[in-house]
Amino acid sequence: MKRLGALLARIFLAFDWPLLVILALFAALGLTVMHSAVGSTDWRFAEQSRNFAIAFAAMWVVALVPPRRLMQLALPFYVVGVVLLLGVEFFGETSKGATRWLDLGVTRIQPSEMMKIAVPMMLAWYFQRHEGDVRIRDFLAAAAMLAAPFGLIVLQPDLGTALLVFGAGFFVIYFAGLSFKLLVPLTVIGVAGIGTLIYYENSLCQAGVDWVVLHEYQKQRVCTLLNPSSDPLGKGFHTIQSMIAVGSGGLYGKGYMQGTQTHLDFIPERTTDFIFAVYAEEFGLYGGVAMLVLYGLLIARGLTIAMRASSQFGRLLAGALTMMVFIYVFVNVGMVTGILPVVGVPLPFMSYGGTALFTMGIACGILMSVSRHRGEQA
């Protein structure tokens, strides 16, 4: 009985309960929407239930690992990840025009997914080692550590994952003390570039115009965002149908499992990238706002954990992983509503997929580890 009591105490102490309650709500909401999205394909609902169980188990295991141990794992985890990305570049398997997978014999993995965790861990470890004496050269070194995996993922090509890895790494660098003044020139360049693209859209989106830095399909996604009606039955189909679904939901939605765009198969990838369109059609504007509020609570709790962390490593890592969730939500909802181009970013805890859920489970486990050990010094 004593052993059982000690085990239960360890299980309960591992959790950050406010965060766990929010995640439990997401699990219930995600499975409810998935049940409607899959229609008669019940096996995907069962698999998603299993994916949630695996993600929560991974979260609990990671929550038991103290931040000190995570710091020791940061460098080897990052190095292994970069080596695996190089393996993908030279020996990777190609599917649907992208080389993102590596066959290890016993299993096939997608190394870019692990970099969502490995990159912020590595950068947080680096700035922990230079705490109190961070110089410009340290930011340059951190930028190089971020650029290496980012560039390798872009080459696959996998712009969505590359964006998430870059975002997680960037926020570590920013929270470490990067001056906002250094970001102003980049912001000006970005705004000028977007303005130029919009002004010269007709010329730049012509067939045969090479954008050099982007693949042809990526160029078409940007051009489709600017004018979805240019190819309504082809490249613009995803954006147009998802916008129709979101708009047709109105204020209150059409009701659970009553979405016509969903169940008449007009919404493409409705269980993965475009599941927010399914949700918005059935639950309307009020339901969409309620979901965003729930995400807001998740992000607020993550940032609270980051602020209360007792070490630089914990603060930077928890803050970056929390902001990665924000990037997930912002990009996914943006592309579904036609504000951003389609880049294949899932909606956290809602989209179907074991890998993405497993990654988010590990990220939340790290948040719980930082919360649980906030009284310890690194």
Side-chain angles (χ1 to χ4, degrees), residues 183-196:
L183 302 179
V184 173
L186 296 177
T187 303
V188 172
I189 292 172
V191 172
I194 294 173
T196 302

Side-chain angles (χ1 to χ4, degrees), residues 305-322:
I305 291 172
M307 288 187 295
R308 293 177 178 177
S310 55
S311 68
Q312 175 85 329
F313 175 81
R315 284 191 293 272
L316 295 179
L317 183 56
L321 292 178
T322 300

Side-chain angles (χ1 to χ4, degrees), residues 348-378:
F349 307 108
M350 300 294 292
S351 295
Y352 173 82
T355 304
L357 261 179
F358 185 75
T359 302
M360 293 307 303
I362 292 176
C364 291
I366 292 174
L367 289 176
M368 291 190 176
S369 171
V370 173
S371 175
R372 182 189 181 205
H373 298 90
R374 60 178 177 266
E376 300 178 8
Q377 294 295 324

Side-chain angles (χ1 to χ4, degrees), residues 44-128:
R44 274 192 285 188
F45 175 78
E47 281 202 355
Q48 187 71 345
S49 301
R50 182 202 64 186
N51 292 338
F52 266 108
I54 294 173
F56 273 83
M59 177 184 70
W60 175 68
V61 171
V62 175
L64 294 174
V65 180
R68 287 184 181 181
R69 183 58 177 164
L70 293 175
M71 281 187 62
Q72 295 171 355
L73 295 173
L75 180 58
F77 191 32
Y78 174 84
V79 172
V80 169
V82 172
V83 170
L84 290 175
L85 286 178
L86 289 171
V88 171
E89 184 65 24
F90 293 105
F91 310 107
E93 294 186 353
T94 301
S95 177
K96 297 182 180 180
T99 306
R100 303 173 184 173
W101 295 268
L102 188 64
D103 191 347
L104 300 180
V106 295
T107 186
R108 194 176 77 151
I109 64 171
Q110 188 176 350
S112 57
E113 281 293 324
M114 67 183 290
M115 300 311 290
K116 295 176 183 177
I117 306 296
V119 167
M121 279 181 64
M122 177 64 185
L123 295 178
W125 170 84
Y126 180 79
F127 283 112
Q128 172 70 42

